[in-house]
């Protein structure tokens, strides 16, 4: 019983996971799309033409929440006023960040398709605390490694001493002495501890007889190689995948009955 239920679930998961990414793409006649476009004062046809200028279409979006207000000169003027900038200052800042080509206008750039994301980007670039954050990060990254740091790191990973922490590094042909910054040691310790834990769990699974009891993919399963020779196959990869999964699904349903 359990084996057949697992087979059905497996087939369903495969069918859902292999759905094309545009299966839920937006369409122009979607009421939610029409309502949104109307709310920003645009016509559907004009909105589609605007997206087409950037080689986009409504089908490239899965949800209305991904859409936004098109970037216009009026919208840029509002942002300039909001952030107390001149148009020239804004252009210079964007070019320095590599977001705008030398002779490119903001309204023509594929980087700035919607006003909402443009607003967020400008605010981020103007954030006065950004430089301080980077300086703080750099100072942390270059912090000298001390025994106190290593003892705390060993304790964090349930190790009793710096020696045991070194043994963890040695198990992966590495050493704490290879590192000069505290941040790098912490990243390495986290990685090695995670790998060590995963290896231990894998050993536990190998000793477990769960797979033998359930025999999900063993000789007692109802999946056979014959279904891959079904006349449903067409030669089209995506169609053939769905055909094979469908055979698997219906076979398990029939066996379940």
């Amino acid at each position: 019983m359990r084996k057949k239920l697992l087979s059905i679930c497996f087939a369903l998961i495969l069918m859902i996971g292999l759905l094309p990414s545009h299966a839920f793409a937006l369409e122009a006649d979607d009421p939610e799309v029409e309502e949104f476009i109307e709310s920003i004062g645009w016509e559907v046809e004009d909105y589609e033409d605007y997206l087409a200028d950037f080689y986009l279409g409504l089908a490239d979006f899965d949800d209305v929440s991904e859409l936004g207000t098109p970037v216009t000169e009026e919208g840029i003027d509002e942002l300039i006023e909001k952030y107390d900038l001149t148009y020239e200052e804004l252009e210079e800042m964007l070019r320095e960040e590599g977001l705008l080509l030398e002779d490119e206008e903001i309204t023509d750039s594929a980087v700035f398709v919607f006003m909402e994301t443009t607003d967020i980007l400008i605010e981020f670039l103007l954030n006065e605390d950004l430089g301080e954050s980077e300086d703080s990060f750099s100072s942390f990254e270059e912090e000298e490694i001390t025994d106190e740091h290593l003892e705390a790191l060993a304790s964090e990973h349930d190790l009793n001493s710096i020696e045991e922490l070194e043994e963890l590094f040695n198990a992966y042909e590495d050493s704490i002495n290879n590192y000069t910054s505290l941040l790098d040691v912490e990243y390495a310790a986290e990685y090695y501890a995670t790998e060590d834990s995963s290896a231990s769990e894998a050993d536990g699974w190998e000793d477990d007889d769960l797979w033998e009891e359930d025999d999900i993919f063993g000789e007692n399963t109802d999946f056979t190689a014959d279904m891959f020779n079904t006349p449903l196959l067409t030669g089209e990869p995506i169609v053939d995948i769905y055909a094979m999964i469908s055979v698997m699904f219906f076979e398990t349903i029939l066996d379940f009955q």
Side-chain angles (χ1 to χ4, degrees):
M1 173 76 72
R2 184 191 305 172
K3 180 172 61 180
K4 296 184 185 301
L5 285 173
L6 286 173
S7 299
I8 293 173
C9 291
F10 177 68
L12 285 173
I13 290 170
L14 282 177
M15 293 181 74
I16 294 172
L18 291 170
L19 282 174
S21 60
H22 290 300
F24 305 104
L26 295 179
E27 297 181 358
D29 58 355
D30 187 323
E32 290 187 1
V33 172
E34 294 176 344
E35 182 181 353
F36 168 76
I37 295 176
E38 182 180 350
S39 71
I40 61 174
W42 279 63
E43 298 290 335
V44 173
E45 185 176 350
D46 294 336
Y47 197 86
E48 288 186 301
D49 289 342
Y50 173 79
L51 293 178
D53 290 338
F54 299 98
Y55 304 98
L56 294 171
L58 290 172
D60 293 304
F61 302 90
D62 298 325
D63 190 83
V64 175
S65 62
E66 298 176 11
L67 300 177
T69 306
V71 172
T72 61
E73 292 182 1
E74 293 77 10
I76 295 298
D77 289 340
E78 292 178 5
L79 292 181
I80 288 173
E81 183 177 351
K82 175 180 177 180
Y83 293 107
D84 193 24
L85 295 168
T86 65
Y87 190 84
E88 289 73 21
E89 288 173 339
L90 178 58
E91 280 191 322
E92 182 180 358
M93 178 179 69
L94 296 177
R95 289 197 174 100
E96 286 178 354
E97 296 294 333
L99 300 173
L100 196 65
L101 299 179
E102 189 61 34
D103 299 323
E104 189 178 37
E105 297 290 334
I106 297 175
T107 52
D108 296 330
S109 173
V111 176
F112 311 104
V113 179
F114 298 131
M115 290 301 306
E116 292 80 2
T117 51
T118 303
D119 188 356
I120 294 172
L121 179 59
I122 293 174
E123 182 178 9
F124 174 78
L125 294 176
L126 290 173
N127 188 346
E128 295 179 357
D129 296 330
L130 180 62
E132 296 178 4
S133 299
E134 291 177 346
D135 291 341
S136 175
F137 178 82
S138 298
S139 64
F140 174 76
E141 185 179 18
E142 296 170 2
E143 190 171 354
E144 184 180 352
I145 302 171
T146 65
D147 287 346
E148 289 77 9
H149 289 143
L150 295 178
E151 288 172 358
L153 190 58
S155 177
E156 181 181 334
H157 294 292
D158 297 325
L159 301 174
N160 297 321
S161 64
I162 297 176
E163 289 72 19
E164 288 189 9
L165 182 63
E166 175 66 17
E167 289 176 5
L168 174 64
F169 277 66
N170 294 162
Y172 293 90
E173 299 183 355
D174 198 357
S175 171
I176 297 173
N177 297 326
N178 292 334
Y179 299 86
T180 58
S181 75
L182 177 60
L183 187 63
D184 290 340
V185 173
E186 290 185 345
Y187 281 155
E190 180 69 28
Y191 175 77
Y192 294 146
T194 302
E195 287 291 304
D196 198 51
S197 175
S198 299
S200 299
E201 290 179 4
D203 292 339
W205 278 106
E206 288 176 2
D207 297 334
D208 202 321
D209 60 355
L210 174 64
W211 298 104
E212 295 180 3
E213 290 180 5
D214 286 347
D215 194 25
I216 297 176
F217 296 106
E219 60 182 6
N220 296 323
T221 61
D222 295 322
F223 298 149
T224 66
D226 292 339
M227 71 181 180
F228 295 103
N229 296 320
T230 172
L232 290 172
L233 299 184
T234 65
E236 292 293 332
I238 211 61
V239 175
D240 290 347
I241 288 173
Y242 277 103
M244 290 186 289
I245 294 174
S246 297
V247 172
M248 293 165 60
F249 178 70
F250 287 115
E251 183 182 30
T252 51
I253 288 289
L254 291 174
D255 289 343
F256 182 69
Q257 294 176 343

